[in-house]
Amino acid sequence: MSTSAPFTLITGGAGFIGTNLADRLLTHGREVVLFDDLSRPGTRSNLEWLTRRHEHRTRVIVADILDERAVEEAVAQATEVYHFAAQVAVTTSLAAPLRDFEVNARGTLVLLEALRRLPEPPPLIFTSTNKVYGALDDLPIRATERRYVPVGEQAGINEQRALDFHSPYGCSKGAADQYVLDYARCFGLPTVVFRMSCIYGPHQHGNEDQGWIAHFLIRSACRQPLVVYGDGRQVRDVLFIDDLLDAFERAMRDARQLAGRAFNIGGGPQNTLSLLELIEQIGERSGHVPSVQHAETRCADQRYYVSDTTAFAQATGWRPQVSVEEGLARLGEWIDQHIPRGSPYISPGAARLKAVGR
């Protein structure tokens, strides 16, 4: 696809985060190009929604992030780049680690090299993951009835925490994370890394280990059982998508000053949720207590992860604005309007595992 006007490039642009970001930018009159292979469940419906909402302004390049020529052509006139194209689940990385590496690590390097060849590389924001910190087995915690809690004062995990890649997914995203930072150091690219906790909101078609809030709400709305890996006391800080988009805007605005830095991004200690607490809230909101099936704890599953977002707040003034209660209500409204109840909801994660023979 060729275009004459400068634009914002979003790789993985038809995914959950890309769709929401594209909608905001297009609504504000910005030019946007989505780069996506449309292989993930939900991407085609997200793209159809964007096309309807923004008529003929939605522009898309259907290609794989490993396609060097397509990537080079895509970045040629981009004024800023958001890199979301990725394999996003630990379970899938365990089933197909080579593909996980190719997409997450090599795909990111393909993009960085295309940017490096430009006379004036545009700023790039890359979404990494809390999995780069490993399972956090050394973190002192204790179990209460509904959640794990830290022992002693614990504001959250900050960027000084040692990296400890765990699982093929953690390794591939961690490698990409480090390449993005190093291209700022070695080649002067204006790149910033977000190590993200649990992000949730509309247009999310989640599975058991990525997008679990949306996954639980959708399964419950369809009267299907929930699968909980481990005891369900696992805690994450959760961040509504609108707050993440605000963080993107601030980071992109200051990208050249923030270049070469990684930031932990999430809802922080004031916005935390355990699996059991979410299930309890689903029952209270719907009047229907979801059926729950338990399975063994998964590889590298952190029992407690809460982001310390102090560094990004100090650098940009950003702080989350949407409470857990408001965010869940808004996601629930979207599910009520967009998820059909007539047919069983199939987990994207289960579909992927079946495809690779698990």
Side-chain angles (χ1 to χ4, degrees):
M1 170 184 173
S2 62
T3 178
S4 57
F7 54 83
T8 296
L9 177 66
I10 307 175
T11 74
F16 156 52
I17 294 175
T19 296
N20 281 278
L21 176 61
D23 178 50
R24 177 177 288 198
L25 294 176
L26 288 165
T27 299
H28 291 168
R30 301 278 295 278
E31 295 296 321
V32 176
V33 171
L34 311 180
F35 187 105
D36 203 303
D37 67 1
L38 303 181
S39 63
R40 290 193 62 201
T43 53
R44 293 183 183 276
S45 61
N46 285 346
L47 183 58
E48 289 171 2
W49 177 82
L50 279 171
T51 301
R52 289 195 305 271
R53 181 168 168 82
H54 298 284
E55 298 180 348
H56 303 297
R57 295 190 58 219
T58 302
R59 299 186 290 174
V60 59
I61 299 172
V62 180
D64 193 300
I65 193 64
L66 296 170
D67 185 336
E68 296 182 26
R69 182 174 179 179
V71 171
E72 185 172 359
E73 292 177 354
V75 303
Q77 291 180 286
T79 56
E80 56 187 28
V81 179
Y82 293 89
H83 180 35
F84 307 148
Q87 191 295 111
V88 296
V90 172
T91 48
T92 306
S93 79
L94 293 168
L98 285 175
R99 177 61 180 172
D100 173 80
F101 172 83
E102 284 286 306
V103 173
N104 290 349
R106 186 168 177 268
T108 298
L109 194 54
V110 166
L111 176 60
L112 289 170
E113 279 292 280
L115 292 172
R116 185 166 74 93
R117 288 190 288 267
L118 296 174
E120 295 184 15
L124 174 142
I125 293 177
F126 170 67
T127 48
S128 184
T129 171
N130 57 22
K131 297 297 189 293
V132 301
Y133 296 117
L136 302 176
D137 290 330
D138 64 317
L139 191 68
I141 58 175
R142 61 183 178 86
T144 65
E145 183 179 1
R146 287 286 181 268
R147 63 162 48 205
Y148 288 108
V149 297
V151 175
E153 293 293 326
Q154 175 59 258
I157 304 298
N158 64 31
E159 297 83 0
Q160 303 308 308
R161 177 83 188 187
L163 300 180
D164 183 22
F165 305 160
H166 191 171
S167 79
Y169 173 72
C171 290
S172 65
K173 289 292 285 187
D177 175 317
Q178 294 299 285
Y179 268 113
V180 171
L181 295 178
D182 203 56
Y183 267 58
R185 300 186 189 108
C186 290
F187 303 117
L189 268 65
T191 58
V192 180
V193 169
F194 276 15
R195 293 175 182 157
M196 302 200 304
S197 190
C198 175
I199 314 299
Y200 69 107
H203 306 286
Q204 188 172 35
H205 302 266
N207 60 64
E208 291 89 343
D209 68 344
Q210 197 280 331
W212 59 274
I213 292 180
H215 174 72
F216 275 21
L217 265 65
I218 293 171
R219 295 275 297 186
S220 176
C222 294
R223 296 295 194 268
Q224 293 183 292
L226 309 179
V227 178
V228 172
Y229 294 87
D231 59 19
R233 294 185 176 92
Q234 300 97 311
V235 169
R236 297 290 183 271
D237 61 318
V238 301
L239 183 69
F240 192 69
I241 184 63
D242 287 3
D243 283 328
L244 178 64
L245 301 185
D246 292 342
F248 283 151
E249 288 184 355
R250 291 176 186 247
M252 191 60 78
R253 178 195 65 195
D254 299 333
R256 299 189 187 278
Q257 290 72 41
L258 301 176
R261 295 185 65 180
F263 296 100
N264 292 350
I265 300 292
Q270 70 273 28
N271 292 296
T272 66
L273 199 61
S274 76
L275 277 67
L276 293 179
E277 288 168 348
L278 176 59
I279 293 169
E280 190 173 75
Q281 289 197 34
I282 290 173
E284 292 174 354
R285 290 171 180 272
S286 67
H288 163 71
V289 179
S291 172
V292 176
Q293 301 171 356
H294 282 269
E296 292 184 5
T297 301
R298 297 166 302 182
C299 174
D301 194 6
Q302 300 155 334
R303 291 183 296 173
Y304 182 91
Y305 182 90
V306 173
S307 307
D308 180 352
T309 62
T310 302
F312 191 68
Q314 291 177 343
T316 67
W318 172 87
R319 285 176 177 77
Q321 302 298 314
V322 180
S323 68
V324 176
E325 292 74 19
E326 179 186 347
L328 291 178
R330 290 169 63 178
L331 175 55
E333 290 174 3
W334 179 82
I335 290 171
D336 289 342
Q337 295 171 9
H338 293 89
I339 301 299
R341 301 298 196 270
S343 58
Y345 171 71
I346 305 299
S347 160
R352 283 197 302 273
L353 289 175
K354 182 177 180 181
V356 296
R358 286 289 295 270

